[in-house]
Amino acid sequence: METRVKLVAIAKDEAAYLPEWIYHHAYFGFDSFDIHVNNTSDKSKEVLEKLSNAYNINIIDSDGLYHKGAKLFQTRAYEYSLKKTPSKQFSHIAFFDVDEFWTPNDFKSSIQEYIKKSEQFDVYLFNWAIHKSDSDFSHCFSKNNVLALDLHVKHLIKLGRKYSLGIHNSNGDNLHYADGNLKTADFLEHVKAKVKIDKGCFPKAFLVHRLYRGQLEYVSMLGRGLPNGNRFKSNRKGYKTDKGLDIEYKIDSYLLDNYYQKYETMLENLDLVSDVFDSKGYVTARYQKLLSVIDNGVNKDEAKVLYRALNNITIPEVVRRRRQIKDELNKEPAQLGLHLTKNDLRHPHKTVSLNGSRNKYIDEIRNASLFFEESDPDIACQLMRIAHKLRPEGEFIKHKLTQMEQKITDD
């Protein structure tokens, strides 16, 4: 039958990222999407509804499924989609996260072309290539990308066989597994979540894994918590701490320009520009909320999680809080205070009293600067200078302005 591929993902507060992720996979031939939306307070559903005007997207409200058991939610969501996907309409189904981008090495082959090169396999495995050159709210790809190949994989399966679905891979009787080079996979352990790779070069296809994104986004992500009820993500060891071999993945300028021209056109045609802008503001607000939560007090276990997770972050206001966490941990109190005074949170030589409205407008100028950071660096830098002039004590604004000015100088 015709090769048709459905892609399944879970989305919690992913409105800022869904347009690029959906566009990317449709661009490379994925035919349909099942998006399990759960525990979401941003504009994910509205964004997906607009995207569904151009792409075949099944928006699944999975709050009920999540509340039946958070720990098993991901595999149950995958099982739901597998059961609901008719083999008469689709030949394959894949299971990726919204921060994982299936990428052919040549940046032009479709998923169908890739599968047709070796159709005898039941399961196709793609190693993570962890993105190491992201900046705040940057596009996923540039002409020169620093990626670190990782042994972990995600998978795509052929319909018509019996599978025991997992998050990284699936098991079944007499299944044939392919690695990213369309050769028989060489597993490193019995759970089949890691596959041997040649770390000196990229395979024919891989998953660009935006594990970190920019520093602000990374810190914001920690505030999403975990299904077990923890307020902070506890599975992060720090920012860009991977010790794997970094490799530069280069993309032809013509291919990349064509790719992003079509992406910008899609955003405009589907009236998504303002939604993406607002959603980036949501991510920034979550970052600020996380800092406030730290200031209001965390317990000892949470402090340990945050101290580790915030390793290598260079944003001054975050560095200051991590240092405060360390000092409190060394005291080993039963309940950590971590209350910073207003003077601690301000520039040591300046104090500014901002009312709510003024603060809001400055935040909007800052967010507008972040929105234009990739598409128009000069405008972004001008806006950030305005924000800095209005809020000279703002550590994040000062940090970003330095980055932007340096980037313009380097270019």
Side-chain angles (χ1 to χ4, degrees):
M1 65 172 291
E2 180 185 359
T3 302
R4 300 191 75 247
V5 185
K6 174 183 280 191
L7 179 52
V8 182
I10 293 169
K12 175 185 177 182
D13 294 332
E14 297 280 8
Y17 309 116
L18 282 165
E20 185 177 16
W21 188 84
I22 293 284
Y23 164 81
H24 172 86
H25 289 95
Y27 183 89
F28 285 111
F30 287 80
D31 299 282
S32 180
F33 302 86
D34 274 9
I35 308 297
H36 291 264
V37 181
N38 71 99
N39 299 300
T40 290
S41 54
D42 71 355
K43 302 176 73 172
S44 290
K45 289 184 179 178
E46 294 93 325
V47 166
L48 286 169
E49 286 169 358
K50 288 186 177 182
L51 286 165
S52 66
N53 291 320
Y55 307 109
N56 184 7
I57 301 174
N58 183 22
I59 307 168
I60 305 169
D61 186 340
S62 291
D63 281 348
L65 187 61
Y66 176 87
H67 292 302
K68 286 182 179 179
K71 290 184 178 180
L72 298 176
F73 167 62
Q74 191 167 2
T75 53
R76 285 174 175 168
Y78 289 175
E79 289 166 354
Y80 175 92
S81 287
L82 177 61
K83 183 178 179 181
K84 295 289 185 178
T85 301
S87 57
K88 291 183 179 180
Q89 295 181 22
F90 295 93
S91 59
H92 298 78
I93 186 169
F95 306 94
F96 304 152
D97 291 338
V98 178
D99 61 358
E100 297 167 343
F101 290 64
W102 183 87
T103 305
N105 198 322
D106 61 8
F107 208 73
K108 58 184 178 181
S109 297
S110 69
I111 185 65
Q112 291 83 2
E113 291 170 331
Y114 176 84
I115 291 172
K116 287 178 180 178
K117 291 178 181 178
S118 293
E119 296 184 279
Q120 73 272 22
F121 292 104
D122 303 299
V123 182
Y124 295 82
L125 302 167
F126 307 104
N127 286 90
W128 280 344
I130 298 175
H131 209 312
K132 302 292 285 291
S133 51
D134 269 335
S135 59
D136 287 322
F137 300 113
S138 61
H139 288 321
C140 182
F141 299 98
S142 60
K143 295 177 183 178
N144 300 296
N145 307 270
V146 179
L147 306 175
L149 281 174
D150 187 272
L151 300 173
H152 286 88
V153 295
K154 287 296 187 70
H155 69 303
L156 176 154
I157 62 177
K158 181 187 295 184
L159 294 175
R161 301 292 301 272
K162 290 185 178 181
Y163 297 95
S164 175
L165 293 184
I167 294 174
H168 286 273
N169 198 356
S170 292
N171 292 304
D173 294 333
N174 301 316
L175 297 179
H176 293 89
Y177 295 87
D179 65 15
N181 278 317
L182 295 171
K183 298 179 181 179
T184 299
D186 188 359
F187 294 104
L188 291 170
E189 16 79 313
H190 71 282
V191 296
K192 298 181 178 179
K194 296 180 180 180
V195 171
K196 288 184 179 179
I197 52 174
D198 178 2
K199 291 191 175 183
C201 61
F202 287 103
K204 297 181 186 298
F206 47 90
L207 288 180
V208 174
H209 187 12
R210 305 189 75 180
L211 178 65
Y212 301 109
R213 298 186 184 272
Q215 290 197 28
L216 179 147
E217 295 172 276
Y218 171 83
V219 175
S220 175
M221 175 190 62
L222 298 177
R224 289 177 56 178
L226 290 173
N228 62 10
N230 289 351
R231 291 196 294 174
F232 312 116
K233 291 183 75 69
S234 57
N235 56 351
R236 295 292 183 268
K237 298 180 180 179
Y239 187 70
K240 296 184 179 177
T241 55
D242 305 273
K243 297 179 181 179
L245 177 64
D246 293 349
I247 305 175
E248 189 174 51
Y249 170 59
K250 296 184 178 182
I251 302 175
D252 178 83
S253 297
Y254 173 80
L255 294 175
L256 188 66
D257 290 345
N258 179 63
Y259 172 91
Y260 275 119
Q261 284 172 8
K262 290 182 177 179
Y263 173 64
E264 297 297 338
T265 300
M266 180 274 291
L267 290 180
E268 294 177 3
N269 289 343
L270 298 182
D271 191 27
L272 281 166
V273 175
S274 62
D275 291 308
V276 171
F277 173 75
D278 292 343
S279 299
K280 290 178 180 178
Y282 176 92
V283 173
T284 304
R286 190 174 61 197
Y287 162 85
Q288 296 291 350
K289 181 180 178 180
L290 177 64
L291 299 187
S292 296
V293 170
I294 295 174
D295 296 342
N296 290 330
V298 296
N299 63 41
K300 184 176 179 179
D301 289 338
E302 290 176 329
K304 289 179 178 179
V305 166
L306 287 170
Y307 182 75
R308 181 179 65 173
L310 295 175
N311 185 31
N312 288 344
I313 295 295
T314 60
I315 303 173
E317 60 190 5
V318 178
V319 172
R320 185 182 302 118
R321 284 166 173 82
R322 186 170 185 264
R323 189 181 304 121
Q324 180 78 5
I325 290 172
K326 180 180 180 180
D327 292 342
E328 294 291 334
L329 278 173
N330 289 337
K331 296 176 184 178
E332 297 190 353
Q335 182 77 15
L336 301 181
L338 301 181
H339 294 290
L340 301 180
T341 66
K342 290 183 179 179
N343 287 335
D344 288 328
L345 301 178
R346 291 175 175 161
H347 191 283
H349 304 296
K350 291 181 179 289
T351 58
V352 180
S353 177
L354 299 176
N355 61 39
S357 296
R358 176 181 170 84
N359 209 13
K360 176 182 177 183
Y361 290 130
I362 296 172
D363 286 347
E364 289 177 352
I365 295 170
R366 175 199 63 199
N367 293 344
S369 171
L370 295 173
F371 178 78
F372 286 107
E373 186 174 4
E374 288 297 315
S375 60
D376 197 328
D378 291 327
I379 291 294
C381 194
Q382 291 177 38
L383 288 168
M384 197 61 78
R385 287 187 184 120
I386 295 171
H388 177 57
K389 184 175 181 180
L390 294 171
R391 187 186 291 164
E393 80 288 354
E395 296 283 5
F396 173 72
I397 290 174
K398 201 167 7 180
H399 175 73
K400 286 303 298 183
L401 179 58
T402 300
Q403 282 187 343
M404 290 176 175
E405 290 178 336
Q406 184 61 52
K407 183 178 180 180
I408 291 175
T409 301
D410 292 343
D411 291 345

